[in-house]
């Protein structure tokens, strides 16, 4: 049997690959405007990095990491997310010593051994950003604005909702009190919980809410406690909400939004598509003021997010205004492969490509009919045909592929200029 890709891993073919590139380019543009610079981090990291940051009792670390051992017996994993690696790099290269804020973005594959389904893969791409050194609520709002600008630019304006929650901090009266009340609640419904949740609820009660089986049921239970934030966390969150309102960003509060990673403090958010099915979280993030210190660095507030590129693409496609992939500008055909015609066709193709026009053709040895079929398949807007008869008169034929039976005789000397003029008028 022929080889096949591994379950949950996929080939991305054109035009999907091109659509993903457009999304990346839109993100690069927006993030540059917000002052972010690109960081490229390794795909492979130590297992310990994610145990320390994402958290030992999270689904990601407990069940979803692709692990391997190198020749020296080191436990390595394919990165399941980008934040931990960026924090490691931030500390390893002493980026904090540059002073002020450090604003970094990344684009790349992440790996999670989840059960594959529509919108959920084992290798998927994230566009993510991390901002270090800004503890003010304005930092959270800037991050949320950057994310919504990227999605709007990608064609999703009006097609997502923003869920927002406050997870508090580690002051005893804040999240620790929330954990205690969650645990007390779980005790009352213990018999309904799966074995895994029963075993981790005392160690990390928040994570029980991530359970794919128990989580949705628990979140629908009106008796589920929500966090009562301490004064500082309340003020911070009130400012976030006020600044979002000031920017006319609509959001919905969701007290059960805890995110699946342990490092968050205070503001967390998720952007959900209103058009796709179960895997509707197209992006998520939040503040993580304790992580840099926990990883051995100085006290450093931070905030960030990541977009799931495949899910965002699904949402764009579902929104139907997904732009039809643009066909090639010009198809160049030749009636035969007589030397003169081949030379002319090749020359015109290269002149067009040098000008940045997309041009295809030169399918020599095939009938003119077969060449024009290819032009159709490629969605060509214009076709140029070099025919034997016209060649004698130093002319060629120009066809507008969108108009049936259109054909114009053009002098070979003028054809490049004529093509440029026609394409200019079309766009
Ligand atoms: P996350 O919510 O785990 O956050 O992932 C971000 C996005 O990646 C999700 O909203 C989703 O669109 C996409 N995603 C996650 N898992 C899959 C999957 N199996 N298949 C397809 N897409 C998926 C993080 O990873 C955090 N590091 C974000 C962050 C950055 N927080 C602070 N800074």
């Amino acid at each position: 049997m022929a080889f096949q890709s591994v379950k949950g891993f996929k080939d991305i073919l054109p035009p999907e690959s091109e659509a993903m590139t457009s999304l990346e380019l839109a993100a690069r543009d927006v993030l540059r405007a917000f002052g972010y610079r690109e960081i490229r981090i390794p795909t492979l990291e130590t297992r310990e990095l994610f145990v320390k940051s994402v958290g030992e009792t999270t689904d990601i670390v407990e069940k979803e990491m692709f692990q391997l051992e190198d020749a020296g017996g080191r436990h390595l994993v394919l990165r399941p997310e980008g934040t931990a690696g960026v924090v490691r790099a931030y500390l390893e290269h002493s980026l904090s010593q540059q002073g002020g804020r450090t604003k970094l973005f990344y684009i790349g594959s992440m790996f999670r051994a989840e059960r594959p389904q529509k919108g959920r893969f084992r290798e998927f791409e994230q566009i993510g950003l991390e901002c270090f050194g800004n503890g003010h609520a304005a930092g959270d709002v800037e991050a949320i604005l950057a994310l919504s600008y990227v999605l709007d630019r990608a064609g999703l304006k009006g097609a997502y909702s923003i869920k927002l929650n406050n997870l508090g901090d580690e002051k005893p009266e804040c999240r620790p009190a929330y954990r205690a009340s969650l645990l007390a609640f779980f005790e009352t419904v213990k018999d309904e919980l799966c074995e895994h949740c029963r075993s981790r609820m005392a160690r990390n009660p928040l994570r029980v809410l991530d359970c794919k089986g128990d989580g949705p049921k628990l979140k629908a239970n009106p008796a589920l406690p929500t966090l009562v934030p301490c004064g500082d966390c309340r003020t911070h969150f009130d400012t976030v909400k006020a600044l979002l309102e000031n920017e006319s960003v609509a959001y919905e509060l969701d007290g059960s939004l805890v995110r699946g990673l342990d490092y968050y403090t205070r503001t967390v958010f998720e952007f959900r598509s209103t058009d796709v099915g179960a895997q509707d979280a197209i992006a998520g993030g939040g503040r993580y003021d304790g992580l840099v210190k926990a990883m051995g660095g100085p006290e450093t507030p931070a905030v960030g997010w990541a977009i799931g590129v495949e899910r965002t693409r699904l949402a764009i496609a579902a929104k139907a205004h997904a732009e039809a992939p643009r066909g090639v500008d010009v198809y160049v055909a030749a009636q035969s492969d007589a030397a003169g015609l081949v030379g002319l066709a090749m020359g015109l193709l290269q002149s067009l490509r040098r000008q940045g026009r997309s041009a295809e053709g030169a399918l020599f040895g095939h009938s003119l009919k077969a060449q024009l079929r290819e032009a159709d398949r490629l969605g060509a807007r214009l076709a140029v045909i070099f025919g034997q008869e016209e060649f004698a008169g130093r002319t060629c034929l120009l066809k507008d592929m969108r108009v049936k039976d259109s054909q114009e005789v053009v002098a070979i000397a003028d054809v490049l200029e004529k093509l440029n003029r026609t394409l200019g008028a079309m766009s």
Side-chain angles (χ1 to χ4, degrees), residues 53 120 138 185 210 216 245 268 272 295 309-310 328 339 383 391:
S53 55
R120 194 201 279 156
F185 169 71
D210 302 334
E245 279 150 33
V268 285
R272 307 247 175 97
M295 305 278 279
V309 173
E310 289 84 352
V328 298
F391 181 53

Side-chain angles (χ1 to χ4, degrees), residues 35-221:
Y36 283 85
R37 301 182 70 187
E38 184 174 9
I39 181 167
R40 298 190 185 209
I41 47 170
T43 313
L44 213 60
E45 299 273 5
T46 60
R47 181 175 190 281
E48 204 45 35
L49 178 73
F50 299 101
V51 171
K52 265 241 124 137
S53 55
V54 172
E56 192 152 21
T57 45
T58 56
D59 281 356
I60 293 179
V61 169
E62 274 189 342
K63 305 192 279 201
E64 295 172 358
M65 292 199 298
F66 285 97
Q67 316 206 24
L68 58 123
E69 211 175 285
D70 71 3
R74 276 171 291 264
H75 295 286
L76 305 177
V77 295
L78 290 177
R79 60 184 184 196
E81 61 106 52
T83 309
V86 175
V87 171
R88 178 199 47 68
Y90 175 77
L91 293 174
E92 191 170 332
H93 305 287
S94 306
L95 299 182
S96 63
Q97 284 169 17
Q98 295 171 358
R101 281 176 292 188
T102 307
K103 296 168 114 178
L104 299 168
F105 79 90
Y106 50 92
I107 300 178
S109 280
M110 307 295 157
F111 303 85
R112 295 184 193 174
E114 293 188 86
R115 202 156 45 80
Q117 62 178 79
K118 187 174 179 215
R120 194 201 279 156
F121 310 101
R122 292 185 168 174
E123 178 179 7
F124 58 95
E125 185 178 298
Q126 282 188 351
I127 300 171
L129 67 72
E130 316 295 345
C131 174
F132 300 97
N134 182 5
H136 194 274
D140 311 30
V141 173
E142 235 189 49
I144 291 172
L145 286 174
L147 178 46
S148 56
Y149 289 3
V150 172
L151 297 178
D152 291 354
R153 183 75 90 80
L156 279 180
K157 202 173 172 66
Y160 57 83
S161 62
I162 304 175
K163 302 270 181 199
L164 200 63
N165 194 19
N166 181 5
L167 285 186
D169 63 14
E170 288 302 327
K171 282 201 266 335
E173 71 275 28
C174 202
R175 189 153 38 175
Y178 174 48
R179 279 199 204 97
S181 58
L182 272 180
L183 181 56
F185 169 71
F186 293 150
E187 291 289 354
T188 67
V189 291
K190 196 170 172 179
D191 295 344
E192 295 158 38
L193 300 181
C194 70
E195 206 181 308
H196 182 222
C197 286
R198 283 203 299 268
S199 79
R200 69 177 165 179
M201 67 187 218
R203 282 179 293 149
N204 195 342
L206 257 79
R207 294 287 69 91
V208 172
L209 298 174
D210 302 334
C211 176
K212 294 194 171 82
D214 294 337
K217 258 185 331 203
L218 291 167
K219 288 180 180 183
N221 188 328

Side-chain angles (χ1 to χ4, degrees), residues 198-311:
R198 283 203 299 268
S199 79
R200 69 177 165 179
M201 67 187 218
R203 282 179 293 149
N204 195 342
L206 257 79
R207 294 287 69 91
V208 172
L209 298 174
D210 302 334
C211 176
K212 294 194 171 82
D214 294 337
K217 258 185 331 203
L218 291 167
K219 288 180 180 183
N221 188 328
L224 179 77
T226 51
L227 175 109
V228 181
C230 67
D232 289 346
C233 289
R234 185 189 304 274
T235 309
H236 181 94
F237 197 55
D238 285 344
T239 315
V240 169
K241 290 185 288 183
L243 289 173
L244 284 175
E245 279 150 33
N246 199 41
E247 293 294 329
S248 310
V249 175
Y251 61 83
E252 293 160 34
L253 295 178
D254 180 351
S256 69
L257 177 71
V258 290
R259 310 268 304 125
L261 309 100
D262 276 354
Y263 46 64
Y264 292 111
T265 50
R266 297 192 166 172
T267 317
V268 285
F269 48 86
E270 237 164 55
F271 282 47
R272 307 247 175 97
S273 159
T274 43
D275 293 320
V276 295
Q279 303 306 317
D280 63 349
I282 51 178
R287 180 162 279 292
Y288 50 96
D289 290 344
L291 184 59
V292 175
K293 182 139 189 258
M295 305 278 279
E299 188 97 49
T300 310
V303 61
W305 50 250
I307 293 175
V309 173
E310 289 84 352
R311 278 190 202 172

